[in-house]
Structure formats: structure tokens, C-alpha cells
Amino acid sequence: MRFPVAVLAVVLLVGCEPPEQEGELNIGFQGRWTNPNDLRAPAGAALTADNVVSDRPGIAEPRRGFTTLAASLSGSVNALAYFSGYVVAHHGSAAISRTTDGTAWTAYSGSYSPPDSSTPVTFREAEGSLFVTTSAGVYELDSPTGTWRKTGAPAGLDGTATLNRTSGTSGFATAGGQWAYRDVWVKRNANNRLQFGAPSGRQVVVNPASVTVAIGGLVRAGTTVTATVTSHPYVTGDVIDLSPGEANFASGQKTITGTTSTTFTYTEAGAAVASTAQQTTGFTARLVTRTVRIPSEITSASGWVVQVYRSGKSASASDTPTDNMGLVIERAPTNLDIANGYMTLTDYATDDLRGATLYTTEQGLVAAKTQPPVCHDFSSYRQSYWCADTNRNQRLLLTLLAVGGSNGVSGNHVLYLRSQTAGTFGAAVLFGSSESIAGGQAQIYTTGTVGQNIQDTAQSIVRVINGNSTLRATFRAFYASSSTEAPGAFVVETIDPAAGPWFAYVFRTSGAATLERFFAPDLPNETEITTLQRAANVVTAATVVAHGLTSGQSVYIESGTTPPDANFPEGAKTITVTGATTFTYAEAGANATAGTTYVVFDRIPADGLARNDDWSNSLHYSSPDEPWSFPVAQQIFVGSRGTTIKRLIPTADRLLVWTDNGLYKVTGTYPYFSVSEVDVNLKLLARGLAGSLGDRGYGYTDQGFVEALDTATVRSIPIEAELRDLQASAASNIAARSFSVSYESDRRWLAWMPSNSSDTYATQAQVYNRTASLAGGQDVWTRWPVNATCGFIHPTENKLYLGTSTGAVWVERKSRTASDYQDPGGAAISSTVEWLPNVDDSSKFWPEGALDFKSAQFSTSTLYFQSDLASAYDAGTTITPPLGATSEPARIPFWVSMEMRRGTRLKVKWNHATASESYALQGLSLKFRKTAKEGR
């Protein structure tokens, strides 16, 4: 095996020996020791061990060099991965590119920002796809030349289920019952894996009970037949079935031409006569039309289907159906459907033809397969996939409290949903006597019971949000009240989790404004200001409608444009005087009139602020083998509320959870996982400096580098002083710039860190050499002064790849020849070793020594000497291996100059800086001698 050049420095503290004694001091290699107490250093410890590795106990060898892969990318390389023959790189602020031939990069379309400014993206290959964590959630690439998309399937949206009352076509829905529907969106990816979304809310369709018409209850006058009953559910245009009929009143289908609360009419020629037999009317058996709203995330028909599930018939028209549902429709949307935002489907399936059971039937909606949350790390353990430090979309639970009248929502009101940052995004829900999806208008229902009116109006709001082109671009909504709960609850959330905080408020478009209180939570009320003027430090505002504000009330003034007028700052104000459409507040400033539009809120807008379930100590885990499916209930919290999970490291039988406030582990099997403490005194200091080697976890903590499984053991005692000094001066830079790579085949853990507070990338790797550490009983660390921003081990080549700040990707040379030992451009690798032998005897002198090699495959190198009596190294001496470069053990002798032979310390520096040459350095031998005179 061939190795490159090295630098060797030796510090010797001479020991006492009897007069006239001669001897030899043999010093092996045990890695770096930078702690200040030299006398406590173990034999063979070194002050410096740069650009070397210790894969064999007691031997220092040069690291392999690198070559450049393809052309440079734009911006810094932030993360690297391998996927189906391609190297994939995240680079710049939000770009992802791939290469397969090592010469050119191909950019993927789209923008993929990291979870936050201090957390790079994480790549994870699973189930035939490549996943990446972003600020908008987890994205998936199911083919290396495909397109990234947000993984999983969106939740089904509330649509409609309508009994076909105006057609006589026979169907499954017999009279006197209810049926419930839910929709599930399913994505079949390029690997033929099905990804299910969460079911939609329930939509219930009712076929009313049949209505009995008593003897004499049917009367014909001319061609009009009038039926008189106690009550009925019919409206004009309904087609009903009448049976059994009689001579003057034929059985069959009739079209309703008019109604009152106790009568209905239809047209039929015949004699003027009354019925002589009891008749039954109703919708004997009808089809149901299902309108399915298409989530705005579905932009292409490729691979998508919607599955429509239906319950069985309830016991009666007034009984609620169960949630035990079977598949009745499966249909792929067309591109026209997607453009329209909905599909219209007809349910023909009889009860006995209902297919597969809806997957939430057994476990309930807590098992709904939601898409992964935004997370800061993504890992796997025991067939489940894990998201750490999570947050979900900004959402707001609203409950409609009143409809119509003086205290309920009316046609003069608008529900507005808006970003907390003015001008970023916003959309309005209008109200009126009819529903208009295109116009963004929800219907106010007033003809039913109070509860039914509230439910129907709230469900109309949901349909408008999900269907209107402006609203659905940013928001989606779900009706939340169950049949056993108070009606009117619905959830509104942003589609993009990176959209930022938003709030809801109510304003009145006309009429006298009052403090509207028909939503819970109590939403702020907004009134538009027509003019805003300051005179003598008093600002007078005039509003479009009566504002309903009172003197002494705290309000919030906001500009309708960005930026606001400099003379009228936004913020909280206290009202001093009010009129019906005017109010004043005190504010110092020049006399002026606002040049931009303003509005007034009756309280701080954040009172209606949405929330996003931001849990820094949260773990969400997926359904088995489904990295795209994360039921909301499958969540575990680690540590206290203020804890932040930094990294997940899977081992053979546990998932190590590194936090800024302790080390924990997850054990168990799905779905019975649990969390327990490993060491709550450890605080991970850098998210990137946690990894594994073999069956052990490693992390950089406030106690240094530790190895962990059921307990934690500090492994960085030899370099502890250096680490503490670096942490004291560059803590934030270490946290932001560091990363680690687990090199299993070489049994090394490489921890890249900056060298100071001004580094803009990692400039050195602290290398833990596990084989040498286990064999020698001493933790062996070496150091590589190599600049890098990220890295990974190529799984098929088994080579180390490094990203750089210049956009270049470096690939480890691994031909197992001397050509391995050079960096890009043929640059030599300079390695340095400074020993620290544990001796102290000024009576010895050291006339000669030797470097001991297992192999010495280099041409020439240079030795330098320094005594504690000298201020600097000498000029250096050139040395060569005996008989030239050799793969056999070699001892290269050298003489020590006269001025360097005495003293309690002697440094020997071996410098080799020629590319494509190697060595395997076993140690240093020094001969010493003492005379009788010296021994006195």
C-alpha cells in the first residue's frame, strides 16, 4: 500500500539513567495529545498529527487525497447524496442538481430552501425514493431524472353529496336513510408505491322517509293533482315515485310543480276526483352525485386517483350513519378537472358492491395518513421514519356561533384571511343568500333549525375556501364538528407551511358597524378609514361605516399599503373622542393628511392569529415502510418543552435522540415506541456533529466528543483543551458550519469544524480512528486540515465525497496505488506528527536516532530538529529510505546536530511534501548516552 508525505515532530523529556549507560528510547504512535499536562500524556502521544490516519494500531499513515467531480456548482454545496446511480447535491440557497457521468451537472426544476437558515437539508433514501427536508416540508424524488414533489398525498377536501331528486334514474339510495361519504387522494409513484392521504370530512346525503297520502288526500282539479299531507320534504322540480296508484291516479314518477308546507302538486290529466286508496310517495331508489374538490397541490393528473368511500344506510332518515365505509368510486382526475378544481362523480354502487374498507375505520381518524411535517432531521428506525423538531402548517380553528338576525353573520360581513405581514397574501370570504364558489361567496342558511343553519353555513364557508381560485391558492379548510358535537367548527390552514403567520378578522361592507361577535375565538373587527388627519397633535379618523368604538378603547391602526405614510405610524392607539363615523387619538407630529389608505382594528390583529404546532422537542413517526405517511397522533415528545432535538442517529436496536438538553433513546416496535434517558447532562453543541460508527453513536457535546449507546463515554480527552479553547471563541460558528461523516469501512468518524470564529466553512476534520483506539486502549485522534462544507460516503464506490464552499465536489482517490496520495491538481499532501514522550532528564544527550517504518514508499523527505535550548528548528536534513522506496519495514537513521543534543526537550520534525508517495510510520527511536561526569 502506498502513502504520501508526512511531517514528524518529536518532543522529548529526558529521563535519569546511571552513569556511562547507553540505551534506546522507542516511541510509537498513539494519536494527538493537546492537553497541557505533558507529563500525563501516554507513551506515543503526539502534539500534532495532521493529514494522517491510524487504521492500524500504532501506525500513522497518510490520508488519501481527492480529485474534483464534474464542474463546479453555483454557490456552496450544502448536502450530498447518492440515488440510483446519480450523485445529488443541494447547493446555493435552494437548488438541487444531479450528475451521473462525473462531468456535468443537471439542475432539477424548483426551489428547495432548507428548514431554516442554520439547518441544512437532510437527504434520506427510502422505499425506492430520495427524500429531502425543506422549509415547505419533506419532498420526494421517485426517479433520478424525475421531478421533486412534496411527498405523500394531501388530505381530501369537503365536497358535496347530493341525492338525485330531479331524475327518475334508479339507484342504491332507498327512501328513509342517510349515507356518509369521505374521499381519499392516492398517489402512485414511479416505484409503484401507493401513497394515501387523509380522508376528507364527512358529507352526509339523506333520502327522506316516504310520505303517506291518506285516502282522499289526492285531489285532481283540471290537470293539477294536489296532495295534502301533514308534512313533506319536497320542493319544486323533485321527481317522486307514487305507489300503488289506482284507476284515477296512476302509479309511477311525478314531477313536483309547487309546494306549501302541507301540500304538493303535480300535473296529470284526468277526471276531477279524490283518491280512494292510501298512496305512498317518495324517492324510492336514487343515485347520488358526489362533487370532489381537488387539492391545489395536485397540478398534474399523472399518478393520481381519488377514492370515494361510502357508509351503509342508517337506520332511518333521522339517524346518523356510521363511519364504517367501503370503496364505491375510484377515478383519476383529468387535466380539465384539475383546472376546474373539482370532479363530479355519480355513485352507482349498491351496498353489496362496496369494496375495500376505508383504512381509518378500525383505528379512527387519529390514524389518518397526513404528509410529513416540516422537520429539521429525517431518519429511520424499526421500519418507521422519523421527523424531529417539527412544525406543521399555520392553522386556525374557528366556530361559527350565529347566523342571520342582528347578532349573526349577514350579507354585510366579510371574513378576511390575511398574512401577518401586510401585502404578502390575503383573501376574503363574502356572505350572501346563495353560494358562489367563483365569486368567493358563502351561503347564509336560514330556513332550518338554528344548529342546522350554523352547520350548513359553516360548510359553505369551507366549500368556498376550497373551491375559490384565489382562496384555494393559499388556504384549505375542513369542517370539524362531528355529529355529536356543537355545529359550526371548521379549520382553516395555509397550504404552504413556509407561508408564515396569518390571522383572520371580520369587517362590515355597509350599514352600521357593531362589534361582531359571531365567531369563536372572538375575531378582531376591521373598519375602513376614509381620511386620516393630524392637527395640533390630535389625529382624526373618518370611517366608511359606523365603527362602534368607544372612548378609552385601545385600537390598532394599520396602513392598507406598504410602506405606510411616514406621518402616520402603524400600531396601537388609544381613542380619546368618538362620533358615529369618526374617532380621535393623541399622537405628536406635524399637521398632515395621510396619503395612503388605513384601517382600524378594534384590537390587536394577532388576537385572531393562526398557530402552527411548532414543537422543537417533538418526534413524529410514520406508518411502517411509509416515509410519506405521518398520522398526527403518532408523536412523541422528548425532554421538556424548551428542549430542541438536534439529531437522530439510528443504531441496531435503538434510535439515539441528541438534543441541546440531554441524550435520549427511542426503543420498541411500531406502534409501541417509548423514550428514555441516556444522559441528560449532555448537550449537543452542533446539529451536524452527531453520527454513528459501528453500533455506537457519536456526538460533539459540552463534554467534548462522546460515544454513546446505553451510556455515554467521553472520547476526546486527548484533545479536550484544544476543543474547549475553540468552543469558547467560536461556539456559534461551530454550531452553524460543522458536519460529520461516518466512514464505516475505514472505521473512522470524521468531524469537520471551523478553526476560528471567522471561518465561513469547516476547515478541519477531527478524525476518530476507532480500530487503533480499541486496540491500544487509548483514544486515537488525528486531524485533517481540509476545507469542506458537507460530505458522505458513496454507497457503491465506498469513497468519501466532500462538498466545498466554491461549488466543487471532491471525490476521494481510492485506486490503492501511490497516485491516491495527492489532492486536486496533483497537490502534495503534507502530514505532520509531533510526539510527546513522557521523560524528563537533562543529563542525557541524544546523538542519533531513527524513523521506523512499516513501509517507506517515498523518495526523499526532510528532518528538522529543535531543542528547548534553541529558538527555532534547524535548517533541516534530507533523508532517503535505504535502498530506495520499499514496502518492507525500514529504519532510517539520522544524526542530531551538536547544539540540539542536550536539553529536557527535543523536537524532531519530519516533513514530506511530494505527491504520489506514501509511508506507514510506526514510530521514532532515539539513542541516548550518559558519562560519569554527566551523572554527577
Side-chain angles (χ1 to χ4, degrees):
M1 190 172 183
R2 297 180 180 273
F3 305 83
V5 288
V7 177
L8 176 68
V10 182
V11 181
L12 300 176
L13 302 178
V14 184
C16 295
E17 296 293 340
E20 307 297 337
Q21 182 179 0
E22 293 185 357
E24 184 173 283
L25 179 64
N26 296 307
I27 306 167
F29 178 76
Q30 290 294 323
R32 302 174 65 215
W33 182 275
T34 61
N35 264 325
N37 191 341
D38 298 351
L39 297 179
R40 294 295 182 184
L47 284 171
T48 305
D50 281 358
N51 281 328
V52 297
V53 297
S54 186
D55 293 336
R56 294 182 285 177
I59 294 179
E61 303 175 81
R63 67 164 174 86
R64 289 183 288 269
F66 298 89
T67 188
T68 303
L69 176 74
S72 292
L73 292 157
S74 60
S76 176
V77 182
N78 310 311
L80 292 166
Y82 171 83
F83 180 48
S84 296
Y86 289 79
V87 174
V88 179
H90 183 277
H91 57 100
S93 60
I96 301 180
S97 298
R98 69 180 184 271
T99 182
T100 184
D101 58 7
T103 60
W105 293 94
T106 300
Y108 291 100
S109 61
S111 180
Y112 310 94
S113 299
D116 61 43
S117 59
S118 63
T119 306
V121 303
T122 297
F123 286 113
R124 173 74 61 180
E125 187 174 0
E127 305 301 324
S129 295
L130 184 65
F131 298 85
V132 66
T133 57
T134 76
S135 60
V138 178
Y139 276 70
E140 175 187 0
L141 184 69
D142 55 14
S143 168
T145 57
T147 302
W148 288 94
R149 68 170 190 89
K150 192 170 183 181
T151 191
L157 302 177
D158 294 30
T160 60
T162 306
L163 185 73
N164 193 340
R165 299 164 58 124
T166 59
S167 168
T169 304
S170 180
F172 72 91
T174 55
Q178 296 186 13
W179 294 260
Y181 284 87
R182 292 187 189 273
D183 307 323
V184 174
W185 285 95
V186 185
K187 171 70 173 179
R188 184 185 296 274
N189 71 10
N191 303 307
N192 209 32
R193 295 298 305 275
L194 296 179
Q195 302 177 3
F196 291 81
S200 69
R202 280 166 52 108
Q203 288 81 49
V204 175
V205 64
V206 180
N207 190 342
S210 296
V211 176
T212 299
V213 183
I215 295 172
L218 289 180
V219 178
R220 181 183 292 107
T223 59
T224 299
V225 177
T226 301
T228 302
V229 294
T230 303
S231 64
H232 67 83
Y234 310 134
V235 297
T236 300
D238 280 350
V239 175
I240 62 171
D241 298 296
L242 183 144
S243 64
E246 58 182 87
N248 290 301
F249 297 94
S251 64
Q253 295 182 342
K254 317 295 179 182
T255 300
I256 303 296
T257 56
T259 65
T260 68
S261 61
T262 58
T263 66
F264 58 88
T265 62
Y266 62 88
T267 299
E268 186 176 71
V273 66
S275 61
T276 59
Q278 178 176 290
Q279 302 294 324
T280 299
T281 64
F283 308 104
T284 303
R286 291 290 186 268
L287 296 173
V288 172
T289 299
R290 181 83 173 108
T291 300
V292 176
R293 289 288 166 193
I294 301 176
S296 60
E297 300 99 304
I298 298 176
T299 57
S300 168
S302 178
W304 287 102
V305 298
V306 65
Q307 294 181 340
V308 179
Y309 292 82
R310 189 189 77 221
S311 72
K313 183 180 180 180
S314 65
S316 71
S318 59
D319 287 324
T320 301
T322 71
D323 217 35
N324 187 345
M325 297 185 178
L327 180 65
V328 291
I329 304 173
E330 182 171 280
R331 189 75 52 81
T334 65
N335 288 326
L336 179 60
D337 292 332
I338 292 173
N340 291 334
Y342 65 91
M343 303 168 67
T344 300
L345 308 172
T346 301
D347 181 7
Y348 295 95
T350 57
D351 276 354
D352 61 328
L353 292 180
R354 288 189 302 148
T357 302
L358 179 61
Y359 71 85
T360 56
T361 297
E362 183 176 343
Q363 298 182 38
L365 290 176
V366 294
K369 297 176 184 292
T370 59
Q371 294 169 284
V374 174
C375 59
H376 292 73
D377 198 16
F378 188 66
S379 190
S380 61
Y381 170 67
R382 290 283 171 86
Q383 294 184 278
S384 285
Y385 295 86
W386 297 74
C387 285
D389 185 0
T390 64
N391 63 75
R392 291 191 179 268
N393 308 54
Q394 300 275 351
R395 62 178 58 191
L396 182 62
L397 173 63
L398 293 170
T399 301
L400 181 63
L401 301 177
V403 173
S406 59
N407 295 317
V409 64
S410 72
N412 293 329
H413 294 121
V414 174
L415 172 65
Y416 204 81
L417 314 174
R418 205 206 76 186
S419 168
Q420 196 172 20
T421 304
T424 303
F425 62 81
V429 178
L430 310 177
F431 295 93
S433 58
S434 62
E435 182 176 293
S436 171
I437 299 294
Q441 179 173 289
Q443 180 175 347
I444 301 172
Y445 288 81
T446 57
T447 59
T449 65
V450 172
Q452 191 63 52
N453 290 338
I454 290 174
Q455 174 179 299
D456 291 344
T457 303
Q459 289 180 335
S460 181
I461 294 172
V462 168
R463 288 192 295 270
V464 168
I465 292 173
N466 291 334
N468 177 264
S469 58
T470 300
L471 285 156
R472 71 190 296 265
T474 304
F475 300 96
R476 60 189 170 205
F478 308 92
Y479 188 73
S481 291
S482 72
S483 59
T484 60
E485 297 173 322
F490 60 99
V491 174
V492 183
E493 69 178 17
T494 46
I495 293 170
D496 182 2
W502 62 277
F503 66 97
Y505 62 88
V506 174
F507 67 90
R508 180 181 284 270
T509 58
S510 63
T514 57
L515 299 182
E516 319 294 358
R517 296 292 182 261
F518 42 78
F519 280 108
D522 200 0
L523 296 181
N525 290 272
E526 183 225 69
T527 305
E528 296 181 12
I529 295 174
T530 56
T531 59
L532 199 61
Q533 295 179 317
R534 181 186 291 104
N537 297 328
V538 174
V539 178
T540 300
T543 59
V544 174
V545 296
H547 49 68
L549 305 173
T550 60
S551 299
Q553 182 176 352
S554 179
V555 297
Y556 192 90
I557 301 293
E558 183 181 88
S559 174
T561 59
T562 302
D565 189 317
N567 289 305
F568 296 90
E570 298 173 312
K573 317 293 179 182
T574 301
I575 293 179
T576 52
V577 179
T578 63
T581 58
T582 61
F583 63 89
T584 63
Y585 60 90
E587 184 176 73
N591 294 349
T593 299
T596 61
T597 60
Y598 278 78
V599 297
V600 57
F601 293 94
D602 66 336
R603 75 201 97 123
I604 297 173
D607 287 349
L609 188 64
R611 299 289 185 266
N612 72 338
D613 296 339
D614 188 354
W615 290 304
S616 62
N617 67 328
S618 170
L619 288 174
H620 280 84
Y621 57 95
S622 77
S623 303
D625 303 318
E626 295 184 10
W628 42 77
S629 169
F630 283 74
V632 174
Q634 292 181 183
Q635 182 178 24
I636 299 175
F637 291 99
V638 178
S640 61
R641 183 68 177 90
T643 298
T644 298
I645 299 173
K646 295 291 190 179
R647 200 69 168 172
L648 303 177
I649 302 298
T651 65
D653 57 357
R654 70 211 69 200
L655 178 67
L656 294 176
V657 184
W658 290 97
T659 81
D660 62 352
N661 197 26
L663 173 61
Y664 300 80
K665 64 181 178 182
V666 173
T667 54
T669 56
Y670 182 90
Y672 306 109
F673 294 111
S674 61
V675 173
S676 57
E677 299 172 353
V678 175
D679 191 331
V680 295
N681 297 313
L682 291 174
K683 302 181 188 301
L684 192 72
L685 300 179
R687 190 186 294 272
L689 291 181
S692 63
L693 192 62
D695 60 347
R696 297 291 190 271
Y698 290 83
Y700 175 62
T701 73
D702 54 348
Q703 297 185 37
F705 289 108
V706 301
E707 178 185 270
L709 195 61
D710 288 321
T711 58
T713 304
V714 178
R715 292 300 186 195
S716 58
I717 295 298
I719 57 173
E720 186 169 272
E722 175 185 349
L723 293 177
R724 286 181 175 175
D725 289 345
L726 180 60
Q727 183 67 26
S729 63
S732 61
N733 210 23
I734 292 172
R737 312 291 184 190
S738 300
F739 69 94
S740 61
V741 179
S742 301
Y743 206 153
E744 294 287 352
S745 64
D746 282 7
R747 298 172 295 279
R748 300 185 208 127
W749 186 60
L750 303 101
W752 255 273
M753 312 171 71
S755 302
N756 54 60
S757 60
S758 61
D759 283 342
T760 56
Y761 44 81
T763 55
Q764 59 175 333
Q766 304 287 354
V767 182
Y768 182 66
N769 302 269
R770 192 177 185 214
T771 297
S773 300
L774 293 175
Q778 164 68 33
D779 292 312
V780 177
W781 290 85
T782 56
R783 190 182 79 101
W784 298 358
V786 175
N787 300 339
T789 53
C790 62
F792 84 115
I793 303 300
H794 194 292
T796 61
E797 297 175 359
N798 194 28
K799 292 180 180 179
L800 172 62
Y801 278 57
L802 294 177
T804 70
S805 62
T806 61
V809 175
W810 284 12
V811 182
E812 183 182 24
R813 300 176 188 267
K814 208 170 184 181
S815 64
R816 309 291 183 180
T817 66
S819 63
D820 287 349
Y821 304 102
Q822 56 183 318
D823 275 337
I829 301 171
S830 180
S831 46
T832 304
V833 178
E834 289 185 74
W835 265 295
L836 187 66
N838 195 3
V839 295
D840 184 10
D841 189 345
S842 60
S843 64
K844 291 180 181 178
F845 73 100
W846 311 85
E848 61 181 291
L851 295 176
D852 296 313
F853 292 88
K854 187 73 174 177
S855 64
Q857 296 179 328
F858 62 88
S859 54
T860 62
S861 60
T862 306
L863 276 169
Y864 300 87
F865 295 88
Q866 182 183 4
S867 166
D868 59 349
L869 303 178
S871 59
Y873 284 110
D874 64 9
T877 302
T878 299
I879 64 169
T880 61
L883 304 177
T886 176
S887 60
E888 301 297 325
R891 168 166 284 197
I892 305 178
F894 55 82
W895 291 96
V896 181
S897 60
M898 290 296 295
E899 64 271 23
M900 298 290 183
R901 294 181 178 183
R902 288 191 178 276
T904 58
R905 293 191 180 197
L906 180 69
K907 292 183 180 180
V908 181
K909 178 181 179 181
W910 177 55
N911 188 343
H912 184 75
T914 304
S916 299
E917 296 183 344
S918 66
Y919 61 87
L921 178 63
Q922 298 184 98
L924 172 74
S925 298
L926 289 172
K927 291 184 178 180
F928 63 84
R929 183 164 60 87
K930 296 175 67 173
T931 64
K933 180 178 180 180
E934 291 164 339
R936 291 196 300 267

